[in-house]
């Protein structure tokens, strides 16, 4: 999971962009996302990063009250939403995303941080395993999806990272 912990900008504000979610996608606040064929999809290894999901909203920019699952009760939304199979054309539920390369995240890694040389150091890079986890074994000084800033001082099992390979700003 990616959790916002700060910013490299002195004002610290996110750069928000709303895009319609791909049909049938289950997304959670904090997920790394990309835009594929014009719609938000979950981030994958090696694909440029669009941003991180900050919130879900309907076409009128109102926050969600249910999980999106068939028969879900009002008030069941707790950060995860299941888009309908026709979301792109009918409901058009959107992902509100922070697309800034300056936002800092505490990020989960798939193995003990520091196992691969540089995964616990500043100015290395790592790729995703999936939308909410970094691949510790990809730590390298060459380019990858995320730039590392060392370990999280509040959780030494996680890395502090920012977007490096951006769909928007590259």
């Amino acid at each position: 999971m990616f959790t916002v912990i700060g910013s490299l900008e002195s004002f610290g504000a996110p750069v928000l962009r709303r895009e319609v979610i791909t049909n049938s996608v289950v997304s959670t606040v904090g997920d790394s996302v990309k835009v594929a064929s014009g719609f938000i999809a979950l981030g994958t290894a090696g694909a440029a990063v669009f941003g991180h999901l900050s919130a879900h909203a309907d076409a009128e920019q109102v926050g969600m009250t249910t999980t999106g699952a068939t028969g879900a009760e009002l008030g069941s939304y707790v950060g995860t939403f299941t888009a309908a199979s026709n979301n792109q054309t009918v409901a058009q539920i959107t992902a509100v995303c922070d697309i800034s390369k300056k936002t800092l995240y505490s990020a989960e890694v798939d193995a003990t941080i520091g196992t691969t040389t540089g995964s616990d150091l500043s100015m290395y890079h790592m790729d995703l395993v999936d939308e909410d986890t970094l691949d510790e074994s990809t730590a390298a000084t060459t380019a990858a999806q995320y730039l590392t800033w060392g370990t999280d001082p509040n959780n030494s099992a996680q890395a502090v990272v920012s977007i490096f390979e951006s769909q928007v700003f590259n």
Side-chain angles (χ1 to χ4, degrees):
M1 178 172 179
F2 288 84
T3 305
V4 175
I5 59 169
S7 176
L8 297 171
E9 294 281 359
S10 58
F11 60 85
V15 177
L16 299 177
R17 176 74 188 158
R18 291 170 16 104
E19 296 292 339
V20 174
I21 301 170
T22 302
N23 294 340
S24 304
V25 166
V26 178
S27 57
T28 301
V29 170
D31 282 351
S32 177
V33 295
K34 62 185 178 182
V35 173
S37 301
F39 299 96
I40 289 291
L42 299 177
T44 56
V49 178
F50 179 71
H52 290 90
L53 187 66
S54 296
H56 295 92
D58 66 17
E60 287 78 37
Q61 301 183 34
V62 175
M64 305 315 302
T65 58
T66 74
T67 64
T70 303
E73 294 181 23
L74 283 175
S76 61
Y77 176 80
V78 290
T80 298
F81 188 80
T82 303
S85 60
N86 60 357
N87 188 63
Q88 294 170 204
T89 56
V90 180
Q92 297 188 325
I93 302 301
T94 62
V96 180
C97 301
D98 181 357
I99 62 173
S100 175
K101 290 179 76 171
K102 308 284 181 155
T103 301
L104 294 173
Y105 299 92
S106 178
E108 176 183 310
V109 293
D110 70 337
T112 303
I113 196 163
T115 302
T116 301
T117 301
S119 67
D120 58 344
L121 301 174
S122 187
M123 298 298 118
Y124 275 71
H125 300 85
M126 282 192 264
D127 277 328
L128 291 168
V129 170
D130 57 30
E131 74 280 359
D132 60 5
T133 309
L134 293 171
D135 185 349
E136 193 274 347
S137 68
T138 62
T141 55
T142 55
Q145 292 167 296
Y146 289 88
L147 175 65
T148 64
W149 296 93
T151 57
D152 183 342
N154 296 315
N155 183 347
S156 61
Q158 297 199 159
V160 175
V161 298
S162 57
I163 296 171
F164 186 73
E165 293 178 346
S166 169
Q167 270 188 304
V168 179
F169 298 111
N170 278 353

